[in-house]
Amino acid sequence: MGRLRQILTIAGRNFGRWKRSPQIWLAFGLGFVACFLLSNKVVLFAADHDTVLQLFEPFIWTFGDANSILLISLCLLLLFADLPNLGNEVPLFLVRTTRFCWMAGQIVYLMGATFVFTGFILVSTSLLAGLHAYTANLWSDTAAILGYSTIGESIAVPAFVKVLELTFPYPCTLHIFALTLGYSLVLSALIFFFNLLHNKLGMIAGVVFSGFGFFLTPQIISDWFHFSEYQKRMANILFGWLSPLNHATYYMHNFGYDNLPRLSASYLFFGGAALLIFALSFWRVRSYPFNFTGTER
């Protein structure tokens, strides 16, 4: 229990920095602005056509799309750019506990902060639905119009028919939240690990990871190489398995009639990747050279 209390104290100290950090406020501010810009099309469409929305539909139609997940996850570059934070309290933590305990505290903080940020995105998009939303676990008329017509495609809202027909808003929201959280957690872990390897290298690793997912999007590859319809279908399946960003995209999963990854496979992918990176972080901390600000003359 003593070790657990120390780990939670270390994680809590990192959260305590938030109220004094412009960087953290900027990350959340940019996240809210991105939510507004991305979900505003759905809300305005409902208002213009005098229809209502299910409370979580702005989140579902916004973050069921790979490009939106990629955009919002880039805010994590700001949120975790300065990890590991080597403030004045760290020497005391290292004297009173071990490097591994300190590392565990950093990881608990990273996981907690990622969950808080993803939850903030969910709450923000739900609030933006405003007076045009209801809470029943049923798809709205707005979703039906967007899904069963070409209007959704014309305004770049990914309301997919198979999502409407095979699930309901609440379980769909939980899956999209979990997929976005998994992708964000792997990205955050990468930023942290590469910062341990070399200061500020984490930002580069985060951008490369995000770019890798973007360029393995089937539509991007198909447009570049002018694939036939058969080749597009094969690319869709192949990159659905290879790209972390596609694993985070809800409609890019097997709903019983294609060879795309199942949701359980994506959860195992993100969980396994995060555990591997955390294990590498524990390995790295054994020889990590702590340089504290203000201690050098």
Side-chain angles (χ1 to χ4, degrees):
M1 290 299 293
R3 290 295 187 192
L4 178 59
R5 188 179 300 109
Q6 291 173 342
I7 291 171
L8 294 178
T9 299
I10 293 168
R13 180 61 183 176
N14 281 336
F15 278 111
R17 296 186 300 107
W18 281 20
K19 59 184 177 182
R20 303 187 305 273
S21 175
Q23 176 180 314
I24 300 297
W25 289 103
L26 179 60
F28 278 88
L30 290 176
F32 183 81
V33 170
C35 286
F36 174 78
L37 295 176
L38 293 171
S39 63
N40 196 45
K41 292 177 291 186
V42 180
V43 177
L44 287 179
F45 178 85
D48 291 342
H49 291 77
D50 197 25
T51 57
V52 293
L53 288 165
Q54 205 281 339
L55 180 64
F56 295 122
E57 281 181 356
F59 177 78
I60 292 170
W61 304 134
T62 299
F63 295 100
D65 179 62
N67 292 331
S68 298
I69 296 171
L70 176 64
L71 177 62
I72 207 70
S73 66
L74 291 179
C75 295
L76 296 172
L77 293 175
L78 275 175
L79 198 63
F80 298 118
D82 59 346
L83 282 182
N85 177 54
L86 301 180
N88 295 331
E89 74 283 354
V90 176
L92 175 62
F93 287 146
L94 294 175
V95 170
R96 298 292 299 273
T97 185
T98 66
R99 286 182 177 226
F100 291 98
C101 189
W102 176 82
M103 174 59 71
Q106 303 300 309
I107 290 175
V108 169
Y109 163 72
L110 187 146
M111 296 172 64
T114 304
F115 182 85
V116 169
F117 183 79
T118 309
F120 171 79
I121 298 303
L122 173 59
V123 172
S124 296
T125 51
S126 299
L127 290 176
L128 289 170
L131 299 176
H132 298 280
Y134 62 90
T135 58
N137 190 26
L138 295 170
W139 296 114
S140 67
D141 293 340
T142 305
I145 295 172
L146 293 174
Y148 290 99
S149 69
T150 60
I151 298 176
E153 183 178 351
S154 66
I155 64 173
V157 176
F160 292 95
V161 173
K162 70 177 183 179
V163 175
L164 295 173
E165 293 181 344
L166 298 175
T167 187
F168 289 96
Y170 282 175
C172 184
T173 300
L174 289 175
H175 282 303
I176 292 176
F177 179 85
L179 291 170
T180 305
L181 179 63
Y183 179 83
S184 301
L185 186 59
V186 173
L187 175 59
S188 305
L190 275 175
I191 295 170
F192 179 58
F193 173 66
F194 278 93
N195 274 344
L196 287 174
L197 288 179
H198 189 278
N199 191 30
K200 303 306 179 184
L201 190 60
M203 295 287 284
I204 299 174
V207 171
V208 170
F209 178 77
S210 301
F212 175 76
F214 176 75
F215 289 117
L216 282 186
T217 302
Q219 187 61 44
I220 298 295
I221 298 296
S222 300
D223 291 344
W224 280 0
F225 295 100
H226 306 290
F227 284 168
S228 65
E229 288 301 316
Y230 174 78
Q231 290 172 323
K232 287 181 180 180
R233 287 196 297 271
M234 292 300 100
N236 192 59
I237 295 171
L238 177 62
F239 297 134
W241 283 94
L242 293 179
S243 169
L245 187 58
N246 288 331
H247 275 285
T249 307
Y250 184 68
Y251 71 86
M252 288 292 292
H253 287 85
N254 187 337
F255 289 91
Y257 52 85
D258 53 35
N259 294 315
L260 290 168
R262 293 187 178 275
L263 289 167
S264 57
S266 293
Y267 294 142
L268 287 174
F269 172 81
F270 288 130
L275 287 175
L276 175 61
I277 299 169
F278 289 150
L280 291 173
S281 299
F282 275 106
W283 166 79
R284 170 57 181 161
V285 79
R286 296 184 304 172
S287 57
Y288 181 71
F290 287 91
N291 293 313
F292 301 106
T293 303
T295 59
E296 296 181 0
R297 296 184 178 180

